Structure formats: C-alpha cells, structure tokens
Amino acid sequence: EKNKNYDPCPEGWRVPPHTELITLCQNKSSWTTNDDKAGLWLCGASSYTKDVPQVFFPAAGCRYNDGKSNGRGARGYYWSSSSTDDNGQFRCISIHDYFAGNCLIRSLADGQPIRCVQE
C-alpha cells in the first residue's frame, strides 16, 4: 500500500522507480519546446518518431538546499522512488539538451520535480 507520508501523487498514481525512468530515457527527441517550455520528448524502448507514445519532460531546473534555483530552461532533474543505501537518498534522472539518463544521487533537501505515472 502507498505510504501517503512520502508519496505526493494522487490516488491511482505513483512516483516511478529509477529503472522505469532510465528505460524511458532510452530514446528521445532533439531538444525542443512544448507550450513555450524547453525540454525533451522521451519514448522509452521505441525509436523516437512523432508517431510513438511519448511524454514531455520540461527543463524545469532545480532548487538546491541553499534555496537557490538553477538551470530552468536548460536542464531538469526528476526524482524516482528508488532510494540508495546511503542515508535514504533517492536516485533521479537528468535531462539536458544533449543527454537524458542517470544523474548523480541528490540530497533530499534539494528540490527537483516528480512525474507521477498511472498505476
């Protein structure tokens, strides 16, 4: 059962584990805009074409634990539900104009967006 204290997604939705996010990053569009927001379309195991199912990840940037925001419009970091063995930190994915995939382990004090997925 979902732990409501740690899962911000609404009922019927969840934060995906790191492995699902990494799979989603396997194929991607070129750096683009959607509704005036820079980012990437990610489509998982399917080769990228406009005809395959895909999801847009905007370059939302992040907010570090010192309160400063960074990278909006240039990169984005998205939390997974997968923790590491080191002090309960969580893994994330990173998107840039040239990259989509695994990112460094972030402190829970850093503010990155999440993408809820339907269960």
Side-chain angles (χ1 to χ4, degrees):
E1 182 168 316
K2 184 191 311 203
N3 183 334
K4 294 287 185 189
N5 294 325
Y6 298 108
D7 191 341
C9 299
E11 196 64 41
W13 295 75
R14 63 181 170 78
V15 177
H18 190 249
T19 53
E20 285 181 19
L21 289 173
I22 291 297
T23 298
L24 188 60
C25 291
Q26 285 179 344
N27 289 285
K28 62 185 175 10
S29 70
S30 298
W31 194 251
T32 189
T33 58
N34 183 42
D35 292 331
D36 295 325
K37 303 212 177 8
L40 293 172
W41 289 97
L42 304 178
C43 53
S46 300
S47 293
Y48 177 79
T49 68
K50 293 181 179 183
D51 299 328
V52 299
Q54 53 195 280
V55 60
F56 187 74
F57 276 68
C62 66
R63 184 170 303 276
Y64 293 117
N65 60 10
D66 62 4
K68 295 178 181 173
S69 62
N70 188 4
R72 187 171 182 186
R75 60 186 169 274
Y77 304 97
Y78 289 85
W79 287 117
S80 75
S81 63
S82 304
S83 66
T84 68
D85 293 333
D86 187 4
N87 300 320
Q89 293 175 322
F90 284 74
R91 297 186 184 276
C92 59
I93 63 163
S94 172
I95 63 159
H96 300 266
D97 59 348
Y98 59 90
F99 177 79
N102 193 32
C103 73
L104 299 173
I105 298 166
R106 300 275 176 179
S107 163
L108 286 176
D110 290 348
Q112 275 85 237
I114 60 163
R115 281 303 286 263
C116 297
V117 296
Q118 201 165 16
E119 293 182 335

